Amino acid sequence: MTRYRCPDCTGHWPVDAAIWRCPSCAGPLDLDFPAAPVPRGHLGARVGSLWRYAEALPFTAPTCSLGEGRTPLVTLTRTVSAKVEFLMPTLSFKDRGAVMLAELARRLGARRVLADSSGNAGCAISAYCARAGLDCTVMVPEGTSPKKTGQILAHGARLEVVPGDREATAEAARTAAGRPGVFYASHVYNPYFLHGTKTYVYELWEDLGGTLPETLVLPVGNGTLLLGASLAIGELRAHGLIGTAPALVGVQAEAVAPLAAAHRAGAEDLIAPRGAAGDGAKAAAGAPAAPATVAEGIAVAVPPRARQILRAVRESGGRILTVPEDAVLAARRDLARRGLFVEPTAAVCWAAAGAWTDRTAVVPLCGAGAKSGPAR
């Protein structure tokens, strides 16, 4: 049986319920879904998209697919490869999860879809809602790249620019999500999104001959790619399809690094700012606006799934690194000179490359440089 489950208070709800977070404790939900083993030896004749892994997905035969997935691996060094995730229909990895949310909204008969984003998720959700014939509104923080807001508008969505940072936008969306007839397509709270992003690892497993690299290096803001990777690794191990699991290494911008601070301190949740009361995540919600970073896609001061991210990294034997602004920009220029033009957020993992040169690793190039300004 597929159903929602709260990882904190262990409550269960049907997936056709009009909820986007736990009704009891207001936390993000997980999805109890009985994924079956994917037959790697029989994938050759299947569709060339993420839907080839049908046994592992909560939906089959989506009507709003744009052919997302099956992005290539490109060698960067003797031990490090890049998965070119910006070769997606909307030019970012967020398509993997957005197609799931649009398909869910369509099947539930939603009248209006609402999303909040720093840019790429909004582009993806607006595109897949357009494909599904769904009315869509996207909230973004002020200062979001005009190229991303232009793409959102081009897909026919309504755009609402929220004063303040990414957390202010998330709070505005959570408030609006309670309006009648609204399906909140939250790429953070809704676990269907994670069951889309987990296909990133299924593709690596297929392309690497049924194995995975020693390290998966992933940019972490809200952690949707890292948590999807952890989900896939757990499924592959449970089915006996891999042996040793890779370490998960998260990378944050030094200017906005709440998860790195918590990991260094050995904390299970975000660390409350000085003088705050209550648990880490709730206290951090009252913190001042996060400093600016060129890596806007991971500029998240209060990730709602912080506990899950920290646990996944720790249990994998991984860690969370930070990189300064100048290193991010230098990494972006270096990738461009290798023929790979990415947005700054997509360069953060390559900026940290010196930390794992002794192990095989894959970094995702999550968003196209065409979505932001020229390489500086």
Side-chain angles (χ1 to χ4, degrees), residues 89-156:
T90 77
L91 308 182
S92 90
F93 87 95
K94 295 290 175 64
D95 290 4
R96 294 186 184 274
V99 66
M100 294 288 179
L101 295 186
E103 184 68 14
L104 177 61
R106 187 192 67 80
R107 295 187 183 204
L108 293 178
R111 297 202 307 271
R112 291 180 293 164
V113 173
L114 170 68
D116 61 301
S117 169
S118 59
N120 281 334
C123 294
I125 290 170
S126 61
Y128 284 94
C129 282
R131 179 76 167 173
L134 297 170
D135 181 84
C136 181
T137 297
V138 179
M139 293 182 169
V140 300
E142 57 185 358
T144 298
S145 166
K147 294 186 178 181
K148 293 177 182 177
T149 56
Q151 184 179 354
I152 291 168
L153 291 169
H155 291 310

Coordinates of all heavy atoms in Angstrom, one line a residue, residues 89-156:
P89 N 14.6 19.0 -20.0 CA 13.7 19.9 -20.7 C 13.6 21.3 -20.2 O 13.6 22.2 -21.0 CB 12.3 19.2 -20.5 CG 12.6 17.7 -20.4 CD 13.9 17.7 -19.6
T90 N 13.7 21.5 -18.9 CA 13.7 22.9 -18.4 C 15.1 23.3 -17.9 O 15.2 24.3 -17.2 CB 12.7 23.1 -17.3 OG1 13.2 22.6 -16.0 CG2 11.3 22.5 -17.6
L91 N 16.1 22.6 -18.2 CA 17.5 22.9 -18.0 C 18.0 22.8 -16.5 O 18.9 23.4 -16.1 CB 17.9 24.3 -18.5 CG 17.5 24.6 -19.9 CD1 18.0 26.0 -20.3 CD2 18.1 23.6 -20.9
S92 N 17.3 21.9 -15.7 CA 17.8 21.6 -14.4 C 17.3 20.3 -13.9 O 16.3 19.7 -14.5 CB 17.3 22.7 -13.4 OG 16.1 22.4 -12.8
F93 N 17.9 19.7 -12.9 CA 17.6 18.4 -12.3 C 16.2 18.4 -11.7 O 15.6 17.3 -11.5 CB 18.6 18.0 -11.3 CG 18.3 18.4 -9.9 CD1 17.6 17.7 -9.0 CD2 18.7 19.7 -9.5 CE1 17.3 18.1 -7.7 CE2 18.5 20.1 -8.2 CZ 17.8 19.3 -7.3
K94 N 15.6 19.6 -11.5 CA 14.3 19.7 -10.8 C 13.2 19.0 -11.6 O 12.1 18.7 -11.1 CB 14.0 21.1 -10.5 CG 14.9 21.8 -9.5 CD 14.7 21.2 -8.1 CE 15.7 21.8 -7.1 NZ 15.6 23.2 -6.8
D95 N 13.4 18.8 -12.9 CA 12.4 18.1 -13.7 C 12.1 16.7 -13.2 O 11.0 16.2 -13.4 CB 12.9 18.0 -15.2 CG 13.0 19.4 -15.9 OD1 12.7 20.4 -15.2 OD2 13.3 19.4 -17.1
R96 N 13.1 16.1 -12.6 CA 12.9 14.7 -12.1 C 11.8 14.7 -11.1 O 11.0 13.7 -11.1 CB 14.2 14.2 -11.4 CG 15.4 14.0 -12.4 CD 16.5 13.3 -11.7 NE 17.7 13.2 -12.6 CZ 17.9 12.2 -13.4 NH1 17.0 11.2 -13.5 NH2 19.0 12.2 -14.2
G97 N 11.7 15.6 -10.2 CA 10.7 15.7 -9.2 C 9.4 16.4 -9.6 O 8.3 16.1 -9.2
A98 N 9.6 17.4 -10.5 CA 8.4 18.2 -10.9 C 7.4 17.4 -11.7 O 6.2 17.6 -11.5 CB 8.9 19.4 -11.7
V99 N 7.9 16.5 -12.5 CA 7.0 15.7 -13.3 C 6.1 14.8 -12.3 O 4.9 14.6 -12.6 CB 7.7 14.8 -14.3 CG1 8.6 13.8 -13.6 CG2 6.7 14.1 -15.3
M100 N 6.7 14.4 -11.2 CA 5.9 13.6 -10.2 C 4.8 14.5 -9.6 O 3.7 14.0 -9.4 CB 6.8 13.1 -9.1 CG 7.8 12.1 -9.6 SD 7.1 10.5 -10.0 CE 8.5 9.6 -10.5
L101 N 5.1 15.7 -9.2 CA 4.2 16.6 -8.6 C 3.0 17.0 -9.5 O 1.9 17.0 -9.1 CB 4.8 17.8 -8.0 CG 5.9 17.6 -6.9 CD1 6.3 18.9 -6.3 CD2 5.3 16.7 -5.8
A102 N 3.4 17.3 -10.8 CA 2.4 17.6 -11.7 C 1.4 16.5 -12.0 O 0.2 16.6 -12.1 CB 3.0 18.1 -13.0
E103 N 2.0 15.3 -12.1 CA 1.2 14.1 -12.3 C 0.3 13.8 -11.2 O -0.9 13.4 -11.3 CB 2.1 12.9 -12.6 CG 1.4 11.6 -13.0 CD 0.6 11.7 -14.3 OE1 0.9 12.6 -15.1 OE2 -0.2 10.8 -14.6
L104 N 0.8 14.0 -9.9 CA 0.0 13.8 -8.7 C -1.1 14.8 -8.7 O -2.3 14.4 -8.4 CB 0.9 13.9 -7.5 CG 0.1 13.8 -6.1 CD1 -0.5 12.4 -6.0 CD2 1.1 14.1 -5.0
A105 N -0.8 16.1 -9.0 CA -1.9 17.1 -9.0 C -3.0 16.8 -10.0 O -4.2 16.9 -9.8 CB -1.3 18.5 -9.3
R106 N -2.6 16.3 -11.2 CA -3.5 16.0 -12.2 C -4.4 14.8 -11.8 O -5.6 14.9 -12.0 CB -2.8 15.6 -13.5 CG -3.7 15.4 -14.7 CD -2.9 14.7 -15.9 NE -2.5 13.3 -15.6 CZ -3.4 12.3 -15.6 NH1 -4.6 12.5 -16.0 NH2 -3.0 11.1 -15.3
R107 N -3.8 13.8 -11.2 CA -4.6 12.6 -10.8 C -5.6 13.0 -9.6 O -6.6 12.3 -9.5 CB -3.7 11.5 -10.4 CG -2.9 11.0 -11.6 CD -2.1 9.7 -11.2 NE -1.3 9.3 -12.4 CZ -0.8 8.1 -12.6 NH1 -1.1 7.1 -11.7 NH2 -0.1 7.8 -13.6
L108 N -5.2 13.9 -8.8 CA -6.0 14.3 -7.7 C -7.1 15.3 -8.1 O -7.9 15.7 -7.3 CB -5.2 14.9 -6.6 CG -4.3 13.9 -5.8 CD1 -3.5 14.7 -4.8 CD2 -5.0 12.8 -5.2
G109 N -7.1 15.8 -9.4 CA -8.1 16.7 -9.9 C -7.9 18.1 -9.3 O -8.9 18.8 -9.1
A110 N -6.7 18.5 -9.1 CA -6.4 19.8 -8.5 C -6.9 20.9 -9.5 O -6.8 20.8 -10.7 CB -4.9 20.0 -8.3
R111 N -7.5 22.0 -8.9 CA -7.9 23.2 -9.7 C -6.7 24.2 -9.9 O -6.6 24.8 -10.9 CB -9.1 23.9 -9.0 CG -10.3 23.0 -8.9 CD -11.6 23.8 -8.7 NE -11.5 24.8 -7.7 CZ -11.8 24.5 -6.4 NH1 -12.3 23.3 -6.1 NH2 -11.7 25.4 -5.5
R112 N -6.0 24.3 -8.8 CA -4.9 25.3 -8.9 C -3.6 24.7 -8.2 O -3.7 24.0 -7.2 CB -5.2 26.6 -8.1 CG -6.3 27.4 -8.8 CD -6.6 28.7 -8.0 NE -7.2 28.3 -6.8 CZ -7.3 29.2 -5.7 NH1 -6.8 30.4 -5.8 NH2 -7.9 28.8 -4.6
V113 N -2.5 24.9 -8.8 CA -1.2 24.4 -8.3 C -0.4 25.6 -7.8 O -0.3 26.6 -8.5 CB -0.4 23.6 -9.3 CG1 1.0 23.3 -8.8 CG2 -1.2 22.4 -9.7
L114 N 0.2 25.5 -6.6 CA 1.0 26.5 -6.1 C 2.4 26.0 -5.8 O 2.5 24.8 -5.3 CB 0.4 27.0 -4.8 CG 1.3 28.0 -3.9 CD1 1.5 29.3 -4.6 CD2 0.7 28.2 -2.5
A115 N 3.5 26.7 -6.1 CA 4.8 26.3 -5.8 C 5.6 27.5 -5.3 O 5.3 28.6 -5.7 CB 5.5 25.7 -7.1
D116 N 6.7 27.2 -4.6 CA 7.6 28.3 -4.2 C 9.0 27.8 -4.5 O 9.3 26.6 -4.5 CB 7.5 28.6 -2.7 CG 7.8 27.4 -1.8 OD1 7.1 26.4 -1.9 OD2 8.7 27.5 -1.0
S117 N 9.9 28.7 -4.9 CA 11.2 28.3 -5.5 C 12.1 29.5 -5.5 O 11.7 30.6 -5.5 CB 10.9 27.8 -6.9 OG 12.1 27.6 -7.6
S118 N 13.4 29.1 -5.5 CA 14.4 30.1 -5.8 C 14.7 30.3 -7.3 O 15.5 31.1 -7.7 CB 15.8 29.8 -5.1 OG 16.2 28.5 -5.6
G119 N 13.9 29.5 -8.1 CA 14.0 29.6 -9.5 C 13.8 28.3 -10.3 O 12.8 28.2 -11.0
N120 N 14.7 27.4 -10.2 CA 14.7 26.2 -11.0 C 13.5 25.3 -10.8 O 12.9 24.8 -11.7 CB 16.0 25.4 -10.8 CG 17.1 25.9 -11.6 OD1 16.9 26.6 -12.6 ND2 18.3 25.7 -11.1
A121 N 13.1 25.1 -9.5 CA 11.9 24.3 -9.2 C 10.7 25.0 -9.8 O 9.8 24.3 -10.3 CB 11.8 24.0 -7.7
G122 N 10.6 26.3 -9.7 CA 9.5 27.0 -10.2 C 9.4 26.9 -11.8 O 8.3 26.7 -12.3
C123 N 10.6 26.9 -12.4 CA 10.6 26.7 -13.9 C 10.1 25.4 -14.2 O 9.3 25.2 -15.2 CB 12.0 26.9 -14.4 SG 12.7 28.6 -14.2
A124 N 10.6 24.3 -13.5 CA 10.2 23.0 -13.8 C 8.7 22.7 -13.5 O 8.0 22.2 -14.4 CB 11.0 22.0 -13.0
I125 N 8.2 23.2 -12.4 CA 6.8 22.9 -12.0 C 5.9 23.7 -13.0 O 4.8 23.1 -13.4 CB 6.5 23.2 -10.6 CG1 7.3 22.2 -9.7 CG2 5.0 23.3 -10.2 CD1 7.3 22.6 -8.2
S126 N 6.2 24.9 -13.3 CA 5.4 25.6 -14.3 C 5.4 25.0 -15.6 O 4.3 24.9 -16.3 CB 5.9 27.1 -14.4 OG 7.2 27.2 -14.9
A127 N 6.5 24.4 -16.1 CA 6.5 23.7 -17.4 C 5.6 22.4 -17.3 O 4.9 22.2 -18.3 CB 7.9 23.3 -17.7
Y128 N 5.8 21.6 -16.3 CA 5.0 20.4 -16.2 C 3.5 20.6 -16.0 O 2.7 19.9 -16.4 CB 5.6 19.4 -15.2 CG 6.9 18.8 -15.8 CD1 8.1 19.4 -15.5 CD2 6.8 17.7 -16.6 CE1 9.3 18.8 -16.0 CE2 8.0 17.1 -17.1 CZ 9.2 17.7 -16.9 OH 10.3 17.2 -17.4
C129 N 3.2 21.7 -15.3 CA 1.8 22.1 -15.1 C 1.2 22.5 -16.5 O 0.1 22.2 -16.8 CB 1.6 23.2 -14.1 SG 1.7 22.6 -12.4
A130 N 2.0 23.2 -17.3 CA 1.6 23.6 -18.6 C 1.3 22.4 -19.4 O 0.3 22.3 -20.2 CB 2.6 24.5 -19.3
R131 N 2.2 21.4 -19.3 CA 2.1 20.1 -20.1 C 0.8 19.4 -19.6 O 0.1 18.8 -20.5 CB 3.3 19.3 -19.8 CG 3.3 17.9 -20.5 CD 3.6 18.0 -22.0 NE 3.9 16.7 -22.6 CZ 4.0 16.5 -23.9 NH1 3.9 17.5 -24.7 NH2 4.3 15.3 -24.3
A132 N 0.5 19.5 -18.3 CA -0.7 18.8 -17.8 C -2.0 19.6 -17.9 O -3.0 19.1 -17.5 CB -0.4 18.4 -16.3
G133 N -1.9 20.8 -18.4 CA -3.1 21.7 -18.4 C -3.6 22.2 -17.1 O -4.8 22.4 -16.9
L134 N -2.6 22.4 -16.2 CA -3.0 22.8 -14.8 C -2.7 24.3 -14.6 O -1.6 24.8 -15.0 CB -2.2 22.0 -13.8 CG -2.5 20.5 -13.7 CD1 -1.5 19.8 -12.9 CD2 -3.9 20.3 -13.2
D135 N -3.6 25.0 -13.9 CA -3.3 26.4 -13.6 C -2.2 26.4 -12.5 O -2.3 25.7 -11.5 CB -4.6 27.0 -13.0 CG -4.5 28.4 -12.6 OD1 -4.6 29.3 -13.4 OD2 -4.3 28.7 -11.4
C136 N -1.2 27.3 -12.6 CA -0.1 27.3 -11.8 C 0.3 28.7 -11.3 O 0.3 29.7 -12.1 CB 1.1 26.7 -12.5 SG 2.6 26.5 -11.5
T137 N 0.7 28.9 -10.1 CA 1.2 30.1 -9.5 C 2.6 29.7 -8.8 O 2.7 28.7 -8.1 CB 0.3 30.7 -8.5 OG1 -0.9 31.1 -9.1 CG2 1.0 31.9 -7.8
V138 N 3.6 30.5 -9.1 CA 4.9 30.3 -8.5 C 5.4 31.5 -7.7 O 5.3 32.6 -8.3 CB 6.0 30.0 -9.6 CG1 7.3 29.7 -9.0 CG2 5.6 28.8 -10.4
M139 N 5.7 31.3 -6.5 CA 6.3 32.4 -5.6 C 7.8 32.3 -5.6 O 8.3 31.2 -5.4 CB 5.7 32.2 -4.2 CG 4.3 32.5 -4.1 SD 3.7 32.3 -2.3 CE 2.1 33.0 -2.4
V140 N 8.5 33.4 -5.8 CA 9.9 33.4 -5.8 C 10.4 34.6 -4.9 O 9.7 35.6 -4.8 CB 10.5 33.6 -7.2 CG1 10.1 32.4 -8.1 CG2 10.1 34.9 -7.8
P141 N 11.6 34.5 -4.3 CA 12.1 35.7 -3.6 C 12.6 36.8 -4.5 O 12.9 36.6 -5.7 CB 13.3 35.1 -2.8 CG 13.7 33.9 -3.6 CD 12.4 33.4 -4.3
E142 N 12.5 38.0 -4.0 CA 13.0 39.1 -4.8 C 14.5 38.9 -5.0 O 15.3 38.3 -4.3 CB 12.9 40.4 -4.0 CG 13.5 40.5 -2.6 CD 13.2 41.8 -1.9 OE1 12.5 42.6 -2.4 OE2 13.6 41.9 -0.7
G143 N 15.0 39.3 -6.2 CA 16.3 39.1 -6.6 C 16.5 37.8 -7.4 O 17.7 37.5 -7.8
T144 N 15.5 37.0 -7.6 CA 15.6 35.8 -8.4 C 16.0 36.2 -9.8 O 15.6 37.2 -10.4 CB 14.3 35.0 -8.4 OG1 13.9 34.6 -7.1 CG2 14.3 33.8 -9.3
S145 N 16.8 35.3 -10.4 CA 17.4 35.6 -11.8 C 16.2 35.9 -12.8 O 15.2 35.2 -12.9 CB 18.1 34.4 -12.3 OG 18.3 34.5 -13.7
P146 N 16.3 37.1 -13.5 CA 15.3 37.4 -14.5 C 15.1 36.3 -15.5 O 14.0 36.2 -16.1 CB 15.8 38.7 -15.1 CG 16.7 39.3 -14.0 CD 17.3 38.1 -13.4
K147 N 16.1 35.6 -15.8 CA 16.0 34.5 -16.8 C 15.1 33.4 -16.3 O 14.4 32.8 -17.1 CB 17.4 34.0 -17.2 CG 18.2 35.1 -18.0 CD 19.5 34.6 -18.5 CE 20.3 35.7 -19.2 NZ 21.6 35.2 -19.8
K148 N 15.2 33.2 -15.0 CA 14.3 32.1 -14.5 C 12.9 32.6 -14.3 O 11.9 31.9 -14.7 CB 14.9 31.7 -13.1 CG 16.2 31.0 -13.2 CD 16.7 30.6 -11.8 CE 18.1 29.9 -12.0 NZ 18.7 29.6 -10.7
T149 N 12.7 33.8 -13.9 CA 11.3 34.3 -13.8 C 10.7 34.5 -15.2 O 9.5 34.2 -15.4 CB 11.3 35.7 -13.1 OG1 12.2 36.6 -13.7 CG2 11.7 35.6 -11.6
G150 N 11.5 34.8 -16.2 CA 11.0 34.9 -17.6 C 10.6 33.5 -18.1 O 9.6 33.4 -18.8
Q151 N 11.3 32.5 -17.7 CA 10.9 31.1 -18.1 C 9.6 30.7 -17.4 O 8.8 30.1 -18.1 CB 12.0 30.1 -17.7 CG 11.8 28.7 -18.2 CD 12.9 27.7 -17.9 OE1 13.9 28.1 -17.4 NE2 12.7 26.5 -18.2
I152 N 9.5 31.0 -16.2 CA 8.2 30.7 -15.5 C 7.0 31.4 -16.2 O 6.0 30.7 -16.4 CB 8.3 31.2 -14.0 CG1 9.3 30.3 -13.2 CG2 7.0 31.1 -13.3 CD1 9.7 30.8 -11.9
L153 N 7.2 32.6 -16.5 CA 6.1 33.4 -17.2 C 5.8 32.8 -18.6 O 4.7 32.7 -19.0 CB 6.5 34.8 -17.3 CG 6.5 35.6 -15.9 CD1 7.1 37.0 -16.1 CD2 5.0 35.7 -15.4
A154 N 6.9 32.4 -19.3 CA 6.7 31.8 -20.6 C 5.9 30.6 -20.6 O 5.2 30.3 -21.6 CB 8.1 31.6 -21.2
H155 N 6.0 29.8 -19.5 CA 5.2 28.6 -19.4 C 3.7 28.9 -19.0 O 2.9 27.9 -18.9 CB 5.8 27.6 -18.4 CG 7.1 27.1 -18.8 ND1 7.3 26.4 -20.0 CD2 8.3 27.0 -18.2 CE1 8.5 26.0 -20.2 NE2 9.2 26.3 -19.1
G156 N 3.4 30.1 -18.9 CA 2.0 30.5 -18.6 C 1.6 30.6 -17.1 O 0.4 30.7 -16.8

